[in-house]
Amino acid sequence: MTDNSNPEQNLNSLEANLKELTSPEGELHLKFCLPSGMGFVLPAVGIREVMQQSPDRVTAIPNVSPLLLGTINLRGQVIWVADLGQFLGDTAPLRTDRAEIPVIAIEDQDMLLGLAVQEMQGMEWRSPEALQIHLNDLSDTMAPFIRGAWRDEADDETPWYLLDYVAILRSARWGA
């Protein structure tokens, strides 16, 4: 309930509260991990939806790329779900023997794809100026899909790799 007896005091209180809010810097990204523990981020602008999907809701399709787990129905639209770790050459297998698998639906123009990952880490603002471009520790399989990496202030040893979701969507590797 608001006290309307002194509007000027209420306005001053509101202004003080607004000054305490800091505007985020950079761009909003989703953080997640692959089964090996490698950390990745995707820009929020390329994400259509983030969901937890039951493995029995992923319909396996025979004779397709082994990178594809199957399809799901996303509000009447059938989309492919891929094992992102396997696509990027991660050697650790994705655990599908659990109640739910995190899936990130990425989108660019008319293309939509679900990426199955090990664990979601939440949303975070990242500054483009802090992105490191020169990365020497990536495999040839992974390098074409990485735009750079950030290091966390708390843990300077662990990189968070920025994925190029458009390159992933348009990759010729899906037809293999």
Side-chain angles (χ1 to χ4, degrees), residues 62-159:
N63 303 321
V64 297
S65 168
L67 303 174
L68 298 169
L69 299 175
T71 61
I72 60 171
N73 185 327
L74 182 61
R75 283 189 253 345
Q77 184 176 9
V78 176
I79 66 167
W80 287 100
V81 176
D83 180 339
L84 180 61
Q86 191 174 359
F87 175 80
L88 294 174
D90 192 7
T91 57
L94 179 68
R95 282 192 44 238
T96 57
D97 62 339
R98 52 189 171 156
E100 293 182 324
I101 300 170
V103 176
I104 306 162
I106 58 172
E107 177 177 46
D108 181 56
Q109 296 176 5
D110 60 341
M111 298 183 79
L112 182 63
L113 176 67
L115 303 175
V117 300
Q118 185 66 33
E119 179 185 5
M120 300 288 185
Q121 297 283 320
M123 300 295 287
E124 191 171 277
W125 292 92
R126 296 278 175 161
S127 170
E129 291 82 26
L131 184 67
Q132 299 172 4
I133 304 300
H134 302 291
L135 304 169
N136 300 325
D137 57 345
L138 295 175
S139 70
D140 291 342
T141 306
M142 193 178 292
F145 307 103
I146 306 295
R147 294 175 33 202
W150 282 284
R151 306 241 182 224
D152 284 336
E153 292 176 13
D155 180 11
D156 194 41
E157 297 298 314
T158 306

Side-chain angles (χ1 to χ4, degrees), residues 15-74:
E15 286 176 359
N17 288 336
L18 288 175
K19 286 180 184 177
E20 289 180 17
L21 294 175
T22 59
S23 63
E25 293 183 21
E27 299 168 1
L28 190 58
H29 291 81
L30 174 66
K31 290 174 62 175
F32 59 91
C33 294
L34 295 182
S36 65
M38 288 184 73
F40 291 89
V41 295
L42 275 168
V45 295
I47 299 172
R48 179 169 180 187
E49 188 164 337
V50 176
M51 63 198 104
Q52 297 289 331
Q53 196 68 42
S54 172
D56 63 348
R57 305 276 302 183
V58 178
T59 304
I61 306 294
N63 303 321
V64 297
S65 168
L67 303 174
L68 298 169
L69 299 175
T71 61
I72 60 171
N73 185 327
L74 182 61

